[in-house]
Amino acid sequence: MSIERFPFRLDVLRGSRILIAEDVEAERMLLAAYLQHYGCHVYLASDGQDCLRKAQLFRPDLVLMDVRMPVCDGLSACRIMQADPTTRGIPVIFLTGAATPAQRVRGLLAGAVDYVSKPFDFDEVRLRLAVHLRSRVNHEVNKVQELPAGASKLDSILFQSARIHLLKSLADTPDLRQLAAAVSTNGKRLNEAFKKCVGVTVFEYLREKRMKEACVLLAGTSLEVQAIGQEVGFTSGANFATAFKERFGVSPSQFRQTCLAKDVGELA
Protein backbone atom coordinates (compact mmCIF):
# COMPACT_ATOMS: atom_id res chain seq x y z
CA MET A 1 0.00 0.00 0.00
CA SER A 2 1.28 3.44 -0.87
CA ILE A 3 2.13 5.60 2.10
CA GLU A 4 -0.13 8.32 0.69
CA ARG A 5 -3.19 6.12 1.33
CA PHE A 6 -2.87 6.06 5.10
CA PRO A 7 -5.94 7.64 6.74
CA PHE A 8 -4.23 10.74 8.11
CA ARG A 9 -2.35 13.65 6.65
CA LEU A 10 1.42 13.39 6.43
CA ASP A 11 1.99 17.10 5.82
CA VAL A 12 2.32 17.46 9.60
CA LEU A 13 6.06 17.20 8.91
CA ARG A 14 6.10 20.64 7.28
CA GLY A 15 7.42 23.16 9.77
CA SER A 16 8.28 20.52 12.38
CA ARG A 17 11.57 20.84 14.23
CA ILE A 18 13.53 17.58 14.13
CA LEU A 19 16.82 16.92 15.92
CA ILE A 20 18.90 14.15 14.34
CA ALA A 21 21.52 12.60 16.63
CA GLU A 22 23.72 10.31 14.54
CA ASP A 23 27.51 9.90 14.68
CA VAL A 24 27.84 8.68 11.08
CA GLU A 25 27.97 11.85 9.01
CA ALA A 26 26.73 10.26 5.77
CA GLU A 27 23.59 8.89 7.43
CA ARG A 28 23.03 12.12 9.35
CA MET A 29 23.17 14.21 6.20
CA LEU A 30 21.03 11.78 4.21
CA LEU A 31 18.25 11.94 6.79
CA ALA A 32 18.57 15.71 7.03
CA ALA A 33 18.24 16.18 3.29
CA TYR A 34 15.20 13.89 3.15
CA LEU A 35 13.37 15.65 5.99
CA GLN A 36 14.23 19.11 4.69
CA HIS A 37 12.63 18.08 1.40
CA TYR A 38 9.34 17.69 3.32
CA GLY A 39 9.64 21.07 5.00
CA CYS A 40 11.19 20.08 8.34
CA HIS A 41 13.52 22.36 10.26
CA VAL A 42 16.45 20.05 11.00
CA TYR A 43 19.09 20.29 13.74
CA LEU A 44 22.11 17.97 13.82
CA ALA A 45 24.04 16.34 16.66
CA SER A 46 27.03 14.03 16.34
CA ASP A 47 26.81 12.28 19.73
CA GLY A 48 24.55 11.91 22.75
CA GLN A 49 26.06 14.77 24.69
CA ASP A 50 25.67 17.10 21.72
CA CYS A 51 22.08 15.89 21.38
CA LEU A 52 21.27 16.74 25.01
CA ARG A 53 22.71 20.21 24.64
CA LYS A 54 20.75 20.94 21.46
CA ALA A 55 17.53 19.38 22.78
CA GLN A 56 17.63 21.85 25.68
CA LEU A 57 18.55 24.73 23.41
CA PHE A 58 16.15 24.18 20.48
CA ARG A 59 13.31 22.21 22.16
CA PRO A 60 12.62 20.18 18.98
CA ASP A 61 9.29 18.53 18.26
CA LEU A 62 10.97 15.13 17.97
CA VAL A 63 14.41 13.53 18.23
CA LEU A 64 15.73 10.84 15.87
CA MET A 65 18.59 9.28 17.81
CA ASP A 66 21.09 6.55 17.03
CA VAL A 67 21.43 4.02 19.84
CA ARG A 68 25.20 3.59 19.53
CA MET A 69 27.10 6.88 19.69
CA PRO A 70 30.36 8.07 21.26
CA VAL A 71 30.65 10.24 24.38
CA CYS A 72 27.07 9.46 25.47
CA ASP A 73 25.08 6.62 23.90
CA GLY A 74 21.44 6.94 22.83
CA LEU A 75 19.98 5.02 25.77
CA SER A 76 21.80 7.19 28.30
CA ALA A 77 20.86 10.37 26.47
CA CYS A 78 17.22 9.32 26.35
CA ARG A 79 17.16 8.60 30.10
CA ILE A 80 18.68 12.01 30.82
CA MET A 81 16.09 13.69 28.59
CA GLN A 82 13.30 11.91 30.48
CA ALA A 83 14.69 13.10 33.80
CA ASP A 84 14.86 16.73 32.65
CA PRO A 85 11.53 18.62 32.87
CA THR A 86 12.53 20.78 29.91
CA THR A 87 13.01 17.82 27.54
CA ARG A 88 10.96 14.91 28.91
CA GLY A 89 8.00 15.75 26.67
CA ILE A 90 10.04 15.42 23.47
CA PRO A 91 9.38 12.09 21.71
CA VAL A 92 12.52 10.07 20.93
CA ILE A 93 12.67 7.58 18.07
CA PHE A 94 15.74 5.36 18.09
CA LEU A 95 17.73 4.53 14.98
CA THR A 96 19.42 1.14 15.05
CA GLY A 97 20.85 -1.50 12.80
CA ALA A 98 20.20 -4.33 15.27
CA ALA A 99 16.87 -3.91 17.05
CA THR A 100 16.62 -7.21 18.92
CA PRO A 101 13.68 -7.68 21.32
CA ALA A 102 15.98 -6.99 24.28
CA GLN A 103 17.25 -3.78 22.69
CA ARG A 104 13.71 -2.61 21.96
CA VAL A 105 12.71 -3.20 25.56
CA ARG A 106 15.73 -1.23 26.81
CA GLY A 107 14.75 1.63 24.54
CA LEU A 108 11.12 1.63 25.65
CA LEU A 109 12.13 1.55 29.31
CA ALA A 110 14.53 4.42 28.69
CA GLY A 111 11.62 6.47 27.36
CA ALA A 112 11.72 6.09 23.57
CA VAL A 113 8.41 5.97 21.70
CA ASP A 114 9.54 3.97 18.66
CA TYR A 115 12.35 2.42 16.60
CA VAL A 116 13.42 2.83 12.98
CA SER A 117 15.70 0.10 11.67
CA LYS A 118 18.75 0.62 9.49
CA PRO A 119 19.13 0.63 6.55
CA PHE A 120 16.38 3.24 6.41
CA ASP A 121 13.18 2.85 4.47
CA PHE A 122 12.39 6.52 4.01
CA ASP A 123 8.66 5.95 3.62
CA GLU A 124 8.73 4.26 7.02
CA VAL A 125 10.74 7.15 8.50
CA ARG A 126 8.22 9.63 7.18
CA LEU A 127 5.23 7.64 8.41
CA ARG A 128 6.60 7.07 11.92
CA LEU A 129 7.51 10.72 12.27
CA ALA A 130 4.03 11.76 11.16
CA VAL A 131 2.36 9.40 13.64
CA HIS A 132 4.32 10.67 16.62
CA LEU A 133 4.27 14.31 15.62
CA ARG A 134 0.49 14.13 15.37
CA SER A 135 -0.14 12.37 18.62
CA ARG A 136 2.52 13.86 20.94
CA VAL A 137 0.97 11.51 23.51
CA ASN A 138 4.09 11.75 25.69
CA HIS A 139 3.37 15.48 26.05
CA GLU A 140 -0.11 14.99 27.49
CA VAL A 141 -0.04 14.75 31.30
CA ASN A 142 -2.68 14.30 33.95
CA LYS A 143 -3.53 17.95 34.45
CA VAL A 144 -5.20 20.79 32.58
CA GLN A 145 -2.76 22.17 30.04
CA GLU A 146 -2.47 25.45 28.21
CA LEU A 147 -4.80 25.52 25.25
CA PRO A 148 -3.00 24.22 22.15
CA ALA A 149 -3.00 26.44 19.09
CA GLY A 150 -6.39 26.23 17.41
CA ALA A 151 -8.18 24.73 20.42
CA SER A 152 -10.99 26.56 22.20
CA LYS A 153 -11.90 26.52 25.87
CA LEU A 154 -14.83 24.27 24.95
CA ASP A 155 -12.42 21.84 23.24
CA SER A 156 -10.39 21.65 26.45
CA ILE A 157 -13.49 21.13 28.61
CA LEU A 158 -14.79 18.37 26.34
CA PHE A 159 -11.39 16.67 26.23
CA GLN A 160 -10.78 16.79 29.97
CA SER A 161 -14.32 15.66 30.81
CA ALA A 162 -14.29 12.80 28.32
CA ARG A 163 -10.82 11.75 29.41
CA ILE A 164 -12.02 11.25 32.99
CA HIS A 165 -14.89 9.02 31.82
CA LEU A 166 -12.64 7.16 29.38
CA LEU A 167 -9.90 6.28 31.85
CA LYS A 168 -12.06 5.25 34.82
CA SER A 169 -11.59 1.64 33.71
CA LEU A 170 -9.56 0.62 30.68
CA ALA A 171 -11.22 -2.80 30.92
CA ASP A 172 -14.71 -1.38 30.36
CA THR A 173 -14.64 1.86 28.43
CA PRO A 174 -17.70 3.47 26.83
CA ASP A 175 -17.93 3.50 23.05
CA LEU A 176 -17.69 6.81 21.20
CA ARG A 177 -21.45 7.41 21.20
CA GLN A 178 -21.77 6.71 24.93
CA LEU A 179 -18.73 8.80 25.76
CA ALA A 180 -19.98 11.74 23.72
CA ALA A 181 -23.41 11.53 25.36
CA ALA A 182 -21.76 11.55 28.81
CA VAL A 183 -20.22 14.96 28.07
CA SER A 184 -23.28 16.31 26.21
CA THR A 185 -21.92 16.35 22.69
CA ASN A 186 -21.70 14.04 19.66
CA GLY A 187 -18.97 11.71 18.45
CA LYS A 188 -17.79 13.93 15.61
CA ARG A 189 -17.46 16.98 17.87
CA LEU A 190 -15.67 14.95 20.55
CA ASN A 191 -13.14 13.57 18.09
CA GLU A 192 -12.55 17.13 16.90
CA ALA A 193 -11.87 18.26 20.47
CA PHE A 194 -9.38 15.41 21.02
CA LYS A 195 -7.58 16.20 17.76
CA LYS A 196 -7.26 19.86 18.69
CA CYS A 197 -6.10 19.18 22.26
CA VAL A 198 -3.80 16.14 21.83
CA GLY A 199 -3.58 15.60 18.08
CA VAL A 200 -5.33 12.22 17.92
CA THR A 201 -8.84 10.77 17.81
CA VAL A 202 -10.57 9.34 20.86
CA PHE A 203 -9.76 5.80 19.66
CA GLU A 204 -6.08 6.58 19.05
CA TYR A 205 -5.79 8.22 22.47
CA LEU A 206 -7.39 5.24 24.21
CA ARG A 207 -5.23 2.74 22.32
CA GLU A 208 -2.03 4.48 23.41
CA LYS A 209 -3.19 4.65 27.04
CA ARG A 210 -3.91 0.91 26.93
CA MET A 211 -0.45 0.15 25.57
CA LYS A 212 1.30 2.29 28.19
CA GLU A 213 -0.67 0.68 31.01
CA ALA A 214 0.11 -2.77 29.59
CA CYS A 215 3.85 -1.98 29.77
CA VAL A 216 3.50 -1.02 33.44
CA LEU A 217 1.59 -4.20 34.29
CA LEU A 218 3.97 -6.47 32.36
CA ALA A 219 7.04 -4.97 34.02
CA GLY A 220 5.63 -4.59 37.52
CA THR A 221 3.15 -7.43 38.15
CA SER A 222 2.94 -11.21 37.85
CA LEU A 223 -0.44 -11.16 36.10
CA GLU A 224 -0.70 -13.51 33.13
CA VAL A 225 -0.49 -11.88 29.72
CA GLN A 226 -4.09 -12.74 28.93
CA ALA A 227 -5.24 -11.18 32.22
CA ILE A 228 -3.28 -8.03 31.46
CA GLY A 229 -4.92 -7.87 28.04
CA GLN A 230 -8.34 -8.04 29.69
CA GLU A 231 -7.29 -5.48 32.29
CA VAL A 232 -6.54 -2.93 29.58
CA GLY A 233 -9.63 -3.67 27.52
CA PHE A 234 -8.85 -6.43 25.02
CA THR A 235 -11.36 -9.23 24.52
CA SER A 236 -8.71 -11.90 23.97
CA GLY A 237 -5.06 -12.55 24.73
CA ALA A 238 -4.36 -13.03 21.02
CA ASN A 239 -5.78 -9.60 20.11
CA PHE A 240 -3.77 -8.01 22.89
CA ALA A 241 -0.53 -9.74 21.85
CA THR A 242 -1.01 -8.67 18.22
CA ALA A 243 -1.73 -5.05 19.13
CA PHE A 244 1.21 -4.90 21.56
CA LYS A 245 3.69 -6.28 19.02
CA GLU A 246 2.43 -3.92 16.32
CA ARG A 247 2.94 -0.99 18.67
CA PHE A 248 6.31 -1.90 20.24
CA GLY A 249 7.90 -4.48 17.94
CA VAL A 250 8.08 -7.20 20.62
CA SER A 251 5.48 -9.54 22.07
CA PRO A 252 4.18 -9.03 25.63
CA SER A 253 6.03 -12.18 26.73
CA GLN A 254 9.32 -10.99 25.21
CA PHE A 255 8.89 -7.62 26.91
CA ARG A 256 8.29 -9.27 30.29
CA GLN A 257 11.12 -11.80 29.94
CA THR A 258 13.60 -9.05 29.21
CA CYS A 259 12.35 -7.00 32.17
CA LEU A 260 12.74 -9.99 34.49
CA ALA A 261 16.20 -10.79 33.17
CA LYS A 262 17.55 -7.33 33.83
CA ASP A 263 17.72 -4.87 36.65
CA VAL A 264 14.82 -2.67 35.64
CA GLY A 265 15.91 -0.06 38.13
CA GLU A 266 19.08 0.54 36.16
CA LEU A 267 17.16 0.85 32.90
CA ALA A 268 14.45 3.20 34.11
Side-chain angles (χ1 to χ4, degrees), residues 14-255:
R14 185 165 299 280
S16 297
R17 295 170 298 126
I18 310 297
L19 172 58
I20 300 172
E22 166 63 69
D23 62 313
V24 178
E25 184 178 6
E27 294 184 357
R28 187 168 66 239
M29 300 311 295
L30 195 61
L31 276 171
Y34 177 78
L35 295 177
Q36 287 169 340
H37 174 74
Y38 285 100
C40 296
H41 300 295
V42 178
Y43 310 100
L44 302 177
S46 57
D47 58 57
Q49 191 172 86
D50 190 23
C51 175
L52 292 170
R53 184 166 53 250
K54 290 177 178 175
Q56 292 172 336
L57 179 63
F58 299 120
R59 307 288 177 83
D61 297 310
L62 186 145
V63 175
L64 276 173
M65 189 185 318
D66 190 19
V67 174
R68 296 180 179 178
M69 293 186 293
V71 185
C72 176
D73 63 79
L75 289 172
S76 298
C78 189
R79 294 189 194 104
I80 295 170
M81 285 182 61
Q82 291 299 306
D84 185 341
T86 65
T87 56
R88 70 163 57 113
I90 302 171
V92 174
I93 297 178
F94 276 136
L95 307 169
T96 180
T100 66
Q103 289 171 324
R104 286 182 180 273
V105 170
R106 290 191 189 98
L108 294 171
L109 291 173
V113 298
D114 216 337
Y115 270 85
V116 172
S117 297
K118 298 180 182 181
F120 306 121
D121 178 311
F122 283 108
D123 276 351
E124 180 187 5
V125 171
R126 186 181 171 203
L127 174 60
R128 290 186 184 276
L129 284 173
V131 168
H132 293 291
L133 286 170
R134 283 194 69 227
S135 65
R136 296 299 300 270
V137 175
N138 286 0
H139 284 239
E140 194 277 316
V141 295
N142 297 335
K143 62 182 179 180
V144 178
Q145 303 171 314
E146 291 184 16
L147 290 178
S152 67
K153 187 174 182 179
L154 177 58
D155 290 323
S156 181
I157 292 172
L158 288 174
F159 166 69
Q160 294 293 342
S161 299
R163 180 182 174 281
I164 291 171
H165 287 285
L166 197 62
L167 301 182
K168 281 181 180 178
S169 173
L170 291 176
D172 185 24
T173 56
D175 61 27
L176 180 59
R177 181 187 60 79
Q178 294 169 331
L179 182 62
V183 296
S184 302
T185 188
N186 58 65
K188 182 178 180 181
R189 180 66 183 88
L190 189 59
N191 264 328
E192 180 182 343
F194 268 68
K195 287 179 180 178
K196 287 184 177 179
C197 289
V198 289
V200 293
T201 65
V202 173
F203 172 76
E204 290 168 333
Y205 180 86
L206 176 60
R207 180 178 57 192
E208 188 68 12
K209 286 295 183 183
R210 283 173 166 161
M211 291 294 99
K212 296 295 186 182
E213 181 63 14
C215 285
V216 172
L217 293 174
L218 286 165
T221 76
S222 59
L223 287 173
E224 294 183 358
V225 170
Q226 183 172 347
I228 290 175
Q230 293 173 345
E231 186 72 18
V232 298
F234 286 84
T235 56
S236 75
N239 288 341
F240 167 58
T242 297
F244 190 94
K245 188 167 186 176
E246 286 177 351
R247 172 63 181 85
F248 295 121
V250 294
S251 71
S253 296
Q254 288 173 319
F255 183 93

